[in-house]
Amino acid sequence: MKLLLTAISGLLMGLTTAPFSASYLAWIALIPLWLFTISHKTTSLTPGVKNKLKIRNIIVNEKTLIAFIWGFAYHGFSLFWITGIHPMTWMGVPWLFSLLIAIFCWLFITIWGAILVTLWSVIFRLFIGSKEIGNSPLPPLTKGGEEQGMGIKKKTWLNNNLFQSISRVVFGVAVWCLLELLWNQGDLWWTSLSYTQSPNNLTILQLTKLSGYSTVTAAIVAINGIFAESIFVLGVNKKQFSLLILTGTLGIILLHLGGFYLYKQPLINDLSKEINVGIIQGNIPNTIKLYASGWRKAIEGYTNGYEKLSNQKVDLIITPETALPFDVEYIIKNSSFYSAILKQKVPVILGAFGSEKRSYTNSLFMMTETGNILSRFDKVKLVPLGEYIPFEDILGKIINRLSPLDSRLIAGTSDQIFETPFGQAITGICYESAFSEHFRRQANAGGQFILTASNNAHYSEIMPAQHHAQDVIRAIETDRWMARATNTGYSAIVNPKGDTLWISEMNTYQLHQGTIYPRNSQTLYVKWGDWLTIILTILSGILWIIDN
């Protein structure tokens, strides 16, 4: 029953993500995991047992399995869209082998996410589980003159229980945020708890301006932990139960009120620096994109779109990731698209491949009205198993080459600056939308607006919806206007509050003209990064020392 309830609660958390967007479930979906992980039964061993045996017993038990199941259910449901890479027969991969690759990719990234939840459970129990969880029964009543003494003992018992509840909540929040921060440094990351609130719960997302996505993650884990702690004392301590329920309820209200206050702050734009952008959504299916028919369709579609938007007097035109799937030098020498630039004289951000030594980069090129390349941005966060093969010496023999290029892709450096005729831009290519530090660094270095470019052609509508949700958070965190250009959807214009002012349809060729504004403001997150996780980690350490 525990395992089933755990799996259901993990699936409920999965339903909070776009496009299902039942964001309210996130505030209760962690409660079963917390209850089953931090039960009232002690996990300490009898005196004299070696520490190694104690640690092994904490790791290898039912509670570890419970955490893994919750994580697998949440991440597996949220990321099931990744199986959309199948079939890859258009790349020459046999149908059955393509299916196996898709299943492998889904299992790999799902298990990686489940490991985060499992580690949270193990660390929690390793540091907290050696004590009795604070819902032990009240001290027994006594007779005679001991009533006054028992009153003191009862008050001490209540205070200790409340202190332990607070300590556990702070510790649980700190560990979860710290693990998300560590996962965010690697190559596999997407399903932070924070994105369960995007794009619909814009009030709570305003809190990301304070300390990034971890602010929302911390709020979700804390509220779930407080409600779970109230269940621990249900029927044992009515006073503490009522206090915790009230605290959790007020917490949700105050968090949203704080976010609402930030959301209602006036959005002041410098109208003299208005940028009239044109977005081309080419809608070139991946099944033909890298073949002659796809090339012709891409060149024709993007050339015509460029000319039409130029005639509408836009200031800047944006194309998606690898809009023209050629080396940029080939485009300059041979394409009608480049000829249109020389004729129309409107700057364009072109998605194409760049050459670097003997390899290729997935890049965006800032081409001026004269056809010169002003700046170039090479994708930093490549897609594992899609654009490069991790542990290539081992996995490469099993999976072979998933990239359609003759040479492998290499990543750009993390210190790139992307200049445009309208100021410095914050740039993200596809998968990079999940990595907030990638955007924070560029904003801190002087980036004034966000430009993202994606493909997403091989996935169902779930993936582009989640991708848009990620970009909404990035716009809010950095307090920047954003223009998104995608191959098949969703392209969009997003303001610094996270409002989606325009969003494209899926799987259609579309042209759009919209307005964005450069901004020089700096949120607390842009200035100081994820300071909340650091403070929570220090505070939890202090509380743990006091309690021991």
Side-chain angles (χ1 to χ4, degrees):
M1 181 58 70
K2 286 184 180 180
L3 299 182
L4 178 60
L5 183 56
T6 300
I8 292 173
S9 64
L11 291 175
L12 289 178
M13 186 65 84
L15 286 172
T16 65
T17 63
F20 311 103
S21 298
S23 57
Y24 52 88
L25 291 176
W27 303 95
I28 58 172
L30 265 173
I31 292 176
L33 174 63
W34 192 288
L35 289 173
F36 295 147
T37 300
I38 318 299
S39 67
H40 70 279
K41 295 179 181 179
T42 182
T43 56
S44 60
L45 303 176
T46 55
V49 178
K50 293 182 179 180
N51 287 335
K52 288 184 179 179
L53 180 59
K54 175 182 174 181
I55 294 174
R56 186 181 68 185
N57 284 2
I58 289 176
I59 295 174
V60 184
N61 62 21
E62 182 189 33
K63 293 180 180 181
T64 301
L65 178 61
I66 284 172
F68 183 84
I69 288 175
W70 191 97
F72 192 94
Y74 168 52
H75 292 276
F77 182 86
S78 302
L79 297 170
F80 192 74
W81 51 260
I82 202 171
T83 58
I85 62 174
H86 172 74
M88 292 180 282
T89 51
W90 58 277
M91 293 174 60
V93 179
W95 189 92
L96 180 58
F97 193 34
S98 171
L99 178 63
L100 293 176
I101 291 174
I103 294 173
F104 173 83
C105 290
W106 175 70
L107 286 174
F108 190 90
I109 194 170
T110 297
I111 291 173
W112 183 242
I115 289 173
L116 183 153
V117 183
T118 306
L119 276 177
W120 175 82
S121 172
V122 170
I123 294 171
F124 209 142
R125 288 180 284 117
L126 183 63
F127 285 90
I128 303 297
S130 61
K131 287 182 170 291
E132 286 284 351
I133 300 304
N135 66 344
S136 53
L138 285 167
L141 296 177
T142 59
K143 299 180 181 179
E146 298 183 7
E147 283 83 355
Q148 184 176 358
M150 281 308 301
I152 296 174
K153 289 182 179 181
K154 181 177 179 180
K155 184 176 180 180
T156 302
W157 179 89
L158 291 172
N159 290 337
N160 286 342
N161 273 264
L162 186 58
F163 176 80
Q164 288 179 14
S165 291
I166 294 172
S167 298
R168 283 192 296 275
V169 170
V170 173
F171 191 86
V173 172
V175 173
W176 198 295
C177 288
L178 187 60
L179 287 172
E180 282 202 355
L181 178 63
L182 292 175
W183 255 239
N184 194 262
Q185 307 307 306
D187 289 336
L188 283 176
W189 184 237
W190 190 262
T191 43
S192 165
L193 291 184
S194 61
Y195 99 128
T196 64
Q197 303 302 296
S198 186
N200 290 343
N201 192 355
L202 292 181
T203 54
I204 203 69
L205 291 179
Q206 303 308 308
L207 300 181
T208 62
K209 295 179 186 291
L210 303 179
S211 186
Y213 69 91
S214 66
T215 321
V216 176
T217 293
I220 292 172
V221 178
I223 296 300
N224 277 273
I226 291 170
F227 284 143
E229 291 292 327
S230 72
I231 296 175
F232 280 137
V233 296
L234 179 62
V236 178
N237 183 350
K238 293 181 180 180
K239 182 177 179 180
Q240 187 173 333
F241 170 77
S242 300
L243 181 60
L244 289 170
I245 288 293
L246 179 62
T247 301
T249 304
L250 284 176
I252 292 177
I253 294 172
L254 291 175
L255 286 166
H256 281 79
L257 285 176
F260 183 73
Y261 171 79
L262 294 174
Y263 180 79
K264 295 303 291 184
Q265 295 303 300
L267 186 59
I268 301 173
N269 301 307
D270 188 343
L271 300 181
S272 67
K273 295 182 178 180
E274 174 183 293
I275 307 173
N276 190 6
V277 298
I279 297 174
I280 307 174
Q281 180 171 294
N283 194 37
I284 314 294
N286 273 8
T287 51
I288 66 170
K289 184 174 182 179
L290 298 171
Y291 298 97
S293 60
W295 298 342
R296 289 192 296 269
K297 185 175 181 181
I299 292 174
E300 179 182 357
Y302 284 104
T303 301
N304 290 339
Y306 175 87
E307 291 174 341
K308 289 180 180 179
L309 289 171
S310 297
N311 291 333
Q312 295 176 21
K313 306 302 180 183
V314 298
D315 300 315
L316 175 67
I317 295 173
I318 309 170
T319 67
E321 174 189 21
T322 60
L324 299 183
F326 314 100
D327 185 290
V328 69
E329 294 300 327
Y330 175 85
I331 295 171
I332 291 174
K333 295 176 181 178
N334 300 284
S335 73
S336 59
F337 183 85
Y338 186 74
S339 299
I341 297 174
L342 298 179
K343 179 182 178 181
Q344 301 291 131
K345 298 189 180 302
V346 175
V348 61
I349 295 175
L350 175 64
F353 292 117
S355 57
E356 186 70 28
K357 298 178 181 179
R358 295 184 178 181
S359 300
Y360 286 103
T361 58
N362 184 345
S363 305
L364 293 178
F365 298 90
M366 180 66 250
M367 291 187 169
T368 66
E369 67 276 7
T370 60
N372 296 322
I373 297 177
L374 174 63
S375 57
R376 164 180 170 177
F377 188 91
D378 301 331
K379 188 175 183 180
V380 178
K381 291 290 187 179
L382 299 180
V383 179
L385 304 175
E387 294 176 317
Y388 83 101
I389 301 175
F391 313 111
E392 189 170 2
D393 292 340
I394 301 173
L395 297 181
K397 298 175 183 179
I398 302 173
I399 303 174
N400 205 346
R401 178 175 51 84
L402 297 185
S403 172
L405 298 173
D406 292 332
S407 299
R408 69 186 181 92
L409 289 176
I410 59 173
T413 60
S414 60
D415 59 350
Q416 299 174 80
I417 298 297
F418 193 70
E419 294 289 350
T420 78
F422 311 96
Q424 185 177 317
I426 302 167
T427 309
I429 302 178
C430 193
Y431 183 47
E432 291 172 334
S433 294
F435 298 88
S436 59
E437 180 60 27
H438 174 80
F439 291 77
R440 190 194 78 86
R441 180 197 66 78
Q442 295 182 73
N444 198 38
Q448 297 175 297
F449 50 91
I450 300 175
L451 304 172
T452 63
S454 306
N455 184 1
N456 301 344
H458 24 273
Y459 301 113
S460 68
E461 294 184 18
I462 293 177
M463 191 277 183
Q466 291 184 6
H467 201 158
H468 178 66
Q470 298 279 15
D471 275 355
V472 166
I473 300 178
R474 306 291 87 85
I476 298 172
E477 284 175 337
T478 55
D479 193 39
R480 293 295 185 267
W481 284 83
M482 171 183 286
R484 303 185 65 236
T486 69
N487 178 16
T488 53
Y490 295 108
S491 303
I493 299 288
V494 180
N495 73 14
K497 295 183 178 182
D499 295 308
T500 301
L501 305 183
W502 168 79
I503 190 166
S504 70
E505 297 178 2
M506 283 293 299
N507 301 314
T508 59
Y509 178 86
Q510 284 192 251
L511 305 177
H512 179 74
Q513 181 179 352
T515 303
I516 62 174
Y517 300 88
R519 292 172 69 83
N520 293 313
S521 59
Q522 283 199 329
T523 63
L524 287 179
Y525 172 64
V526 170
K527 288 181 182 178
W528 299 338
D530 187 3
W531 54 268
L532 179 62
T533 297
I534 297 173
I535 290 178
L536 286 171
T537 302
I538 295 173
L539 180 59
S540 65
I542 293 173
L543 291 174
W544 183 80
I545 292 173
I546 293 173
D547 200 31
N548 284 271

